[in-house]
Amino acid sequence: MSKENALIKILIITTSWGDFSDSHSIRIKNLFSIFNKNNSKIHIVYPGEQVNKSNDLNLFEHNVKLNTIFNLINRCKKYRKIYLIMLNIYRRIYGDIFSGLSNNLFKRALLIDENFDFVISCSGSIEGHVAAYKYSVDMNIHHIMDYGDPIYPLIRNAKKNTFEIERIMCDKAKLVLFTTNSTLDQYKKDINSICGEVFYYGCLAVALKKKILLVNDKIDISYVGTAFTNDRNLMPLFTAVNKYKEKFNIILAGRMSRSFFNYIESQKIGKYYGIVDYNTSLNLQLNADLNIIVGNYDGRQLPGKVFIGLSINVPILYLKQSGETYDEAYELLKQFESVYIINNDIHSCENFLHEFKLTYQEINRDINELTCENISERLYKTLCKLK
């Protein structure tokens, strides 16, 4: 039997699944999207009270209960204001909301009666990586680390020993996956023994929207995602839209500063839909006339929404924030049709909206190499070679 036909047994350990699904959960789904079509068996260990009843990846799921304090906080989710206050206090005390959870994840993994070929940590929290590292050492199997976001280089307030923990894990890992070339370069400078490769988030194939603009309709501008005044600041755009409110309308969804949705609703320039699920977020962007992506101040990061935006046949406005420094999102987006790029300031936004004219010509973006299917196939073949 060839290596590519042999059964691959994988254990995923993550803090981004179930109750705590986030952008890293999409990353997991993209990376393993074709594995159920191949000869593979995947288990996943994650924190939270609920096991997903079904998922597209056909995973065997194992949840880990939270510590008592955090479990009480998590039960307050339906009281959003109270939940956010308690969560912020917890973060100030412990830093990482999953602090100390690695032992529980590790112990739960040991209970699974399976001889895995790989343990893969796909986690925004270092606790998921630590748990997988312990498991790889204990069971003497390959550890693959996936960095949806890097930890040490971009979190300046991390504990002093964070980098040393990362160095040990990255040095031992059979392979470390990064989402950008610049992040891989950063880690190679700090940990020259690292074996790393770049695997983009991946684009999904989404049908071309079919929407006819009526004479009196406004142009719908959509932003879906996380945004705060000190990070992905939307106020320059909103100020510009307010100037041309007879022409444009804002569609807003996601976790963001209250000042943003208060402003668009008080000025009657749009609607805030709150925090929405993944399918709703896709529909909001699919039915928009222009989708917004706000770049990071640190150009080494490449937001996952870049790939979602490229998947959807709707024009993109990229608001650049990295100044003159290298911006990997900019370098990728500038290659594609119907992508407009401006600086994130009021003057640039006003000029763009003043000149912008909507056309409904078909958008042809060649994203074949970036599709999650191709990226997942590449990962599958990589693991077959490493087995």
Side-chain angles (χ1 to χ4, degrees):
M1 182 180 292
S2 69
K3 278 194 171 185
E4 287 198 16
N5 291 326
L7 175 66
I8 295 181
K9 291 181 284 188
I10 298 168
L11 171 63
I12 299 172
I13 300 181
T14 183
T15 55
S16 299
W17 201 255
D19 288 345
F20 300 98
S21 293
D22 55 19
S23 60
H24 298 282
S25 313
I26 301 171
R27 167 77 167 168
I28 293 170
K29 291 177 181 178
N30 289 353
L31 279 177
F32 297 96
S33 62
I34 60 90
F35 275 64
N36 60 1
K37 299 176 184 177
N38 291 293
N39 198 10
S40 63
K41 187 176 183 180
I42 306 177
H43 290 248
I44 185 167
V45 174
Y46 62 94
E49 294 301 309
Q50 290 185 324
V51 175
N52 289 342
K53 299 302 180 185
S54 63
N55 60 72
D56 297 335
L57 304 181
N58 296 326
L59 307 180
F60 297 90
E61 303 197 358
H62 313 271
N63 67 316
V64 174
K65 290 188 177 181
L66 306 166
N67 67 51
T68 304
I69 298 174
F70 192 61
N71 189 38
L72 288 172
I73 295 173
N74 197 46
R75 289 178 183 274
C76 293
K77 271 188 173 180
K78 59 183 178 180
Y79 307 109
R80 181 160 177 76
K81 287 184 180 179
I82 297 174
Y83 170 72
L84 290 176
I85 291 171
M86 294 175 70
L87 188 62
N88 285 331
I89 293 172
Y90 189 90
R91 278 177 170 150
R92 286 181 179 274
I93 296 173
Y94 295 102
D96 185 344
I97 64 172
F98 300 107
S99 180
L101 192 63
S102 59
N103 281 333
N104 291 351
L105 292 168
F106 167 63
K107 290 176 182 177
R108 183 66 186 87
L110 288 176
L111 295 176
I112 302 171
D113 184 18
E114 191 70 79
N115 294 318
F116 294 107
D117 299 302
F118 301 95
V119 57
I120 302 182
S121 49
C122 303
S123 191
S125 168
I126 198 170
E127 298 292 330
H129 296 299
V130 171
Y133 167 76
K134 289 180 179 178
Y135 187 89
S136 72
V137 172
D138 196 81
M139 304 301 289
N140 192 29
I141 64 171
H142 294 320
H143 179 198
I144 310 291
M145 298 175 69
D146 174 53
Y147 275 118
D149 279 321
I151 298 176
Y152 174 74
L154 297 179
I155 302 179
R156 299 304 178 190
N157 61 348
K159 294 180 180 179
K160 291 182 179 179
N161 65 341
T162 298
F163 176 68
E164 184 57 27
I165 294 170
E166 278 197 282
R167 188 193 64 76
I168 293 169
M169 293 190 297
C170 289
D171 186 62
K172 167 95 172 38
K174 189 69 175 178
L175 181 65
V176 184
L177 313 182
F178 295 95
T179 57
T180 68
N181 291 292
S182 44
T183 308
L184 173 57
D185 291 342
Q186 175 71 55
Y187 271 79
K188 280 185 173 179
K189 288 178 184 177
D190 294 336
I191 308 170
N192 55 26
S193 60
I194 195 170
C195 178
E197 291 186 30
V198 173
F199 283 75
Y200 283 136
Y201 265 93
C203 296
L204 297 172
V206 178
L208 178 67
K209 69 163 188 168
K210 299 184 185 300
K211 175 185 172 186
I212 299 173
L213 185 71
L214 300 177
V215 175
N216 295 322
D217 274 355
K218 293 183 178 181
I219 295 172
D220 287 330
I221 300 176
S222 162
Y223 180 85
V224 179
T226 301
F228 296 97
T229 51
N230 64 344
D231 186 6
R232 293 165 184 162
N233 188 10
L234 296 169
M235 284 309 298
L237 174 67
F238 293 165
T239 303
V241 169
N242 195 34
K243 182 175 181 179
Y244 299 105
K245 63 172 67 178
E246 74 287 346
K247 183 180 177 182
F248 297 98
N249 179 65
I250 294 289
I251 296 170
L252 198 62
R255 189 168 63 92
M256 58 189 61
S257 295
R258 180 176 294 274
S259 60
F260 291 163
F261 52 84
N262 282 347
Y263 181 83
I264 69 163
E265 291 181 349
S266 66
Q267 298 299 317
K268 295 181 172 53
I269 58 172
K271 181 178 179 180
Y272 175 58
Y273 287 82
I275 297 175
V276 298
D277 61 35
Y278 180 63
N279 288 332
T280 303
S281 74
L282 284 180
N283 285 329
L284 288 175
Q285 294 172 84
L286 190 61
N287 289 311
D289 302 305
L290 179 67
N291 286 323
I292 303 298
I293 299 173
V294 185
N296 293 319
Y297 287 110
D298 190 316
R300 291 173 298 179
Q301 291 177 292
L302 209 169
K305 61 176 62 65
V306 166
F307 298 96
I308 294 174
L310 288 173
S311 303
I312 298 171
N313 288 307
V314 172
I316 294 169
L317 174 60
Y318 179 66
L319 301 178
K320 195 173 186 296
Q321 295 198 130
S322 59
E324 298 302 315
T325 61
Y326 181 79
D327 184 339
E328 191 139 351
Y330 165 75
E331 295 297 328
L332 178 65
L333 285 168
K334 72 179 185 180
Q335 305 173 44
F336 292 97
E337 175 183 327
S338 298
V339 175
Y340 307 94
I341 299 171
I342 63 174
N343 290 325
N344 190 20
D345 60 67
I346 295 174
H347 179 71
S348 299
C349 290
E350 286 183 349
N351 284 345
F352 174 81
L353 295 183
H354 178 69
E355 299 293 333
F356 182 70
K357 292 181 180 179
L358 189 63
T359 61
Y360 277 92
Q361 64 186 32
E362 185 174 347
I363 298 172
N364 294 306
R365 296 184 184 130
D366 183 8
I367 59 171
N368 186 55
E369 290 185 9
L370 299 176
T371 61
C372 59
E373 290 84 2
N374 280 344
I375 290 170
S376 181
E377 185 69 36
R378 179 183 155 210
L379 178 60
Y380 179 78
K381 289 179 178 178
T382 299
L383 296 183
C384 287
K385 291 176 182 177
L386 293 176
K387 184 180 175 183

